[in-house]
Amino acid sequence: DSRSHAILIDAHAACGDGQGARDALAAMSASGHQPQPAEYAAAVSAGDLLAARRLLGEAERELGGASGGGGGNIGWRVLANAFLRACVAGGGVDDAVALVQRLGSGAWAAASPDASTFEYA
């Protein structure tokens, strides 16, 4: 079930196994379960900046962004903050600025920044 996949993604992420988290995310999709922003956030948090960019784009395409309703607004904020942490770790200043500018508008209309967002930015 989707919860078991989510646990597996989280376990890989907690152990710092970015490739394992991404593989588990792909397996979740392949088995017919739709990953939500929280699962993407876990995979983003375990990888490098290149992987984080790819996963953020995939989440936006697959789920339609925060305004699409998938995962709720909190899930999208968690994903945004995970991506910003990856930007901090990987030196992705331009990526971080671009995401912060998108928060609250377009696909990210329902995901307004919170205190953690501004701390990472």
Side-chain angles (χ1 to χ4, degrees):
D1 68 345
S2 62
R3 183 70 185 132
S4 297
H5 285 283
I7 290 168
L8 185 59
I9 295 165
D10 287 342
H12 282 287
C15 292
D17 179 9
Q19 185 60 54
R22 290 187 299 277
D23 290 346
L25 185 72
M28 182 179 194
S29 293
S31 69
H33 299 288
Q34 177 67 59
Q36 294 299 306
E39 286 80 47
Y40 280 102
V44 162
S45 71
D48 57 34
L49 185 54
L50 283 175
R53 286 178 186 138
R54 185 183 61 75
L55 290 167
L56 185 70
E58 181 181 316
E60 290 173 325
R61 282 188 309 279
E62 295 295 321
L63 301 175
S67 61
N73 299 343
I74 293 172
W76 283 95
R77 190 174 302 123
V78 168
L79 175 56
N81 289 343
F83 183 77
L84 293 173
R85 282 192 302 276
C87 291
V88 169
V93 175
D94 292 338
D95 294 291
V97 169
L99 179 60
V100 169
Q101 289 175 340
R102 291 192 325 254
L103 293 177
S105 64
W108 291 88
S112 58
D114 64 3
S116 294
T117 308
F118 289 117
E119 184 177 314
Y120 295 124

